[in-house]
């Protein structure tokens, strides 16, 4: 049988190892998210695609365009105005020519949005 002090030590050690494992798992999940989204700056609460267009993050925009079923014409709620906005509009407004070219050349894009 374990003595009271040994039980406490065992419980504390088990708890510490559990927390350590959870932290490592959370950290790994966070790193995967960063790698997939190409480190988007989150100044505004908006869809990651809009953030990528607003920042001119070509790699992140390409990730969305490569996703099966992603609708480049979908309007997402802007984190600034709160109104639905098209990613192409934001990229053009912010002067990100590479993202604008990429979106305009995407098959099925509606440039009149």
């Amino acid at each position: 049988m374990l003595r009271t002090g040994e039980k406490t030590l065992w419980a504390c050690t088990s708890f510490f190892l559990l927390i350590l494992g959870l932290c490592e798992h959370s950290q790994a999940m966070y790193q995967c998210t960063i790698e997939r989204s190409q480190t988007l700056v989150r100044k505004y609460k908006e869809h990651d695609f809009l953030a990528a267009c607003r920042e001119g993050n070509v790699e992140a925009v390409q990730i969305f365009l490569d996703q099966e079923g992603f609708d480049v014409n979908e309007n997402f709620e802007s984190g600034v105005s709160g109104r639905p906005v098209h990613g192409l509009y934001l990229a053009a407004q912010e002067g990100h020519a590479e993202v604008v070219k990429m979106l305009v050349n995407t098959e099925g894009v509606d440039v009149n949005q």
Side-chain angles (χ1 to χ4, degrees):
M1 285 202 112
L2 294 174
R3 295 182 189 149
T4 304
E6 291 174 336
K7 287 181 184 179
T8 304
L9 179 63
W10 182 85
C12 290
T13 303
S14 298
F15 180 74
F16 173 77
L17 291 174
L18 173 70
I19 296 300
L20 182 64
L22 290 174
C23 289
E24 286 180 352
H25 178 69
S26 298
Q27 203 171 28
M29 285 176 39
Y30 180 71
Q31 288 171 347
C32 291
T33 304
I34 289 174
E35 290 171 9
R36 286 212 61 217
S37 65
Q38 298 296 319
T39 315
L40 294 173
V41 177
R42 296 181 189 268
K43 291 181 186 176
Y44 312 104
K45 292 182 180 179
E46 60 190 4
H47 192 276
D48 288 344
F49 178 68
L50 285 186
C53 292
R54 184 185 300 282
E55 295 171 20
N57 190 327
V58 176
E59 294 85 10
V61 170
Q62 189 62 52
I63 287 172
F64 283 101
L65 296 178
D66 290 342
Q67 288 180 2
E68 187 175 323
F70 180 75
D71 183 9
V72 70
N73 293 313
E74 185 174 349
N75 290 321
F76 299 99
E77 187 177 322
S78 168
V80 177
S81 68
R83 288 186 240 151
V85 66
H86 193 275
L88 177 59
Y89 172 80
L90 275 184
Q93 183 182 36
E94 298 293 327
H96 300 299
E98 286 186 55
V99 174
V100 170
K101 282 186 215 175
M102 179 187 295
L103 293 173
V104 167
N105 292 326
T106 301
E107 185 177 330
V109 70
D110 181 6
V111 296
N112 294 318
Q113 292 253 0

